Amino acid sequence: MVLPLSILDLAYIRDGGTASDSLAASVALAQRAEELGYRRVWYAEHHNMRYIASSATSVVIAHVAAHTRTIRLGSGGIMLPNHSPLTIAEQFGTLESLHPGRIDLGLGRAPGSDQQTMRALRRTPTSADAFPQDVLELQGYLRGESRIPGVDAVPGKGTDVPLYILGSSLFGAQLAAALGLPYAFASHFAPDALEEAVALYRRDFRPSAQLDRPYVMAALNVIAADTTEEAREQQLAALRLRVHNFLAAGRPYDEEEADMLLASPAGHQIRRMTKYFAAGDPAQVAAYVAEFAEHAQADELIVSLAAPDAKASIRSAELLAEAHGLST
């Protein structure tokens, strides 16, 4: 069987574009992914980031679901300490009621923001400490087995929206194993603990009502183009864009300045974050993806399409799907 592929859509707001443009591009990408045979598309909760339009994650999922028919859609992830479990159960219970059998709920414990934004979200530095208990409370609402007497999620109760634990460290691996939930590792930006976390998760996994055996999703960056040269140009443009977003504080910069920053220690950190990056023609990308899947011991891969514009991202998805052998 062909290893399933999915997409992490960061809903980038491109230079000169708007949030409306970004969300329209997300719809177009999901529609094409559905046609190409991708298993799911996930959206991430980020706040106070001028270049990401998926802060209201459940709203984005609802919009895309209304414009697609069969592909699974979900969060990659909801940062649960930013919310009450009841609120998320109601939101995703509503999504599941509107789009039965198509909704995933990936959960993380990071702020998805900086310290000032964390304060604006009314979140405290200790909010993440309750993450395991909050996951169990949320799971109870969705199963119709509330842990708080007299309180049910409506909609939500009995919908059994599947949960996924997201992580970039051993903590998430331990929790997913203990709860018997699928585990998604954020190796597209935090590669260091991938092998150790996956090994720990598989070793300590305990079967649950949702899952009887370990299930690992691993993420990587992908740019597939018709030629290697074109892909490398897009990869450099993507790295320059990261410099713009993370190091240049949004101020104007030229390519020479961006390349100087990429050559700096801070730039090397950006390159290290994107250690797992498949960039090339279709055959090269498919070979890298297969090698990465074996390295990560993954049951499914989720790709972050890193091309610098929406059209190129869709082209990447098309070329990867064909080279990997997804059914259409």
Side-chain angles (χ1 to χ4, degrees):
M1 293 182 62
V2 175
L3 188 77
L5 295 182
S6 298
I7 293 173
L8 174 64
D9 181 2
L10 293 176
Y12 280 122
I13 302 174
R14 314 286 179 177
D15 284 346
T18 66
S20 294
D21 297 332
S22 172
L23 296 172
S26 289
V27 169
L29 176 60
Q31 290 172 333
R32 190 68 181 117
E34 183 174 80
E35 295 168 348
L36 293 167
Y38 285 86
R39 176 163 291 185
R40 65 187 98 236
V41 181
W42 278 1
Y43 307 90
E45 178 188 347
H46 292 288
H47 298 282
N48 193 32
M49 293 188 179
R50 60 179 181 79
Y51 52 90
I52 293 180
S54 55
S55 55
T57 314
S58 60
V59 179
V60 175
I61 294 168
H63 178 66
V64 177
H67 290 83
T68 51
R69 297 179 297 106
T70 58
I71 195 166
R72 297 193 67 88
L73 300 164
S75 59
I78 288 291
M79 300 299 109
L80 190 55
N82 293 344
H83 314 272
S84 74
L86 177 61
T87 297
I88 297 304
E90 291 169 342
Q91 290 178 7
F92 279 77
T94 299
L95 288 168
E96 177 65 22
S97 298
L98 291 169
H99 307 284
R102 296 181 56 202
I103 303 301
D104 300 326
L105 179 46
L107 300 168
R109 65 176 183 138
S113 60
D114 54 48
Q115 294 298 312
Q116 286 292 92
T117 308
M118 185 174 73
R119 290 176 57 192
L121 289 165
R122 302 300 188 268
R123 173 176 171 161
T124 69
T126 60
S127 297
D129 295 345
F131 182 63
Q133 293 75 28
D134 286 348
V135 171
L136 290 171
E137 183 180 334
L138 172 58
Q139 187 178 60
Y141 290 133
L142 294 171
R143 286 183 176 172
E145 301 170 355
S146 176
R147 289 172 169 254
I148 300 180
V151 178
D152 286 317
V154 182
K157 181 178 181 179
T159 55
D160 280 317
V161 177
L163 303 184
Y164 299 74
I165 299 297
L166 279 59
S168 57
S169 68
L170 301 187
F171 178 88
Q174 292 168 335
L175 181 62
L179 299 183
L181 295 175
Y183 180 51
F185 192 88
S187 33
H188 63 301
F189 75 88
D192 292 347
L194 171 64
E195 294 171 84
E196 188 178 2
V198 170
L200 184 154
Y201 168 71
R202 289 194 177 279
R203 184 194 71 206
D204 295 346
F205 180 85
R206 300 176 184 175
S208 68
Q210 179 176 326
L211 194 64
D212 63 356
R213 65 186 66 183
Y215 193 86
V216 171
M217 299 170 65
L220 74 159
N221 302 284
V222 168
I223 291 178
D226 292 289
T227 67
T228 302
E229 181 181 8
E230 183 182 355
R232 297 304 181 191
E233 289 174 355
Q234 290 184 23
Q235 184 180 25
L236 179 56
L239 291 171
R240 287 169 173 163
L241 183 60
R242 287 179 183 247
V243 165
H244 185 220
N245 291 333
F246 292 105
L247 301 183
R251 63 180 174 81
Y253 70 103
D254 58 29
E255 292 182 355
E256 183 178 357
E257 183 180 9
D259 291 343
M260 289 177 61
L261 286 169
L262 274 173
S264 72
H268 283 297
Q269 172 67 8
I270 286 179
R271 290 183 182 275
R272 191 194 63 76
M273 288 171 63
T274 57
K275 173 183 177 180
Y276 297 120
F277 204 138
D281 65 29
Q284 292 168 328
V285 168
Y288 186 102
V289 165
E291 181 181 336
F292 174 75
E294 183 175 353
H295 170 73
Q297 293 296 293
D299 300 291
E300 179 178 340
L301 297 182
I302 185 158
V303 300
S304 176
L305 299 171
D309 63 72
K311 182 178 179 181
S313 290
I314 288 180
R315 185 60 177 155
S316 273
E318 292 170 342
L319 292 173
L320 175 58
E322 181 178 1
H324 186 71
L326 292 185
S327 59
T328 57

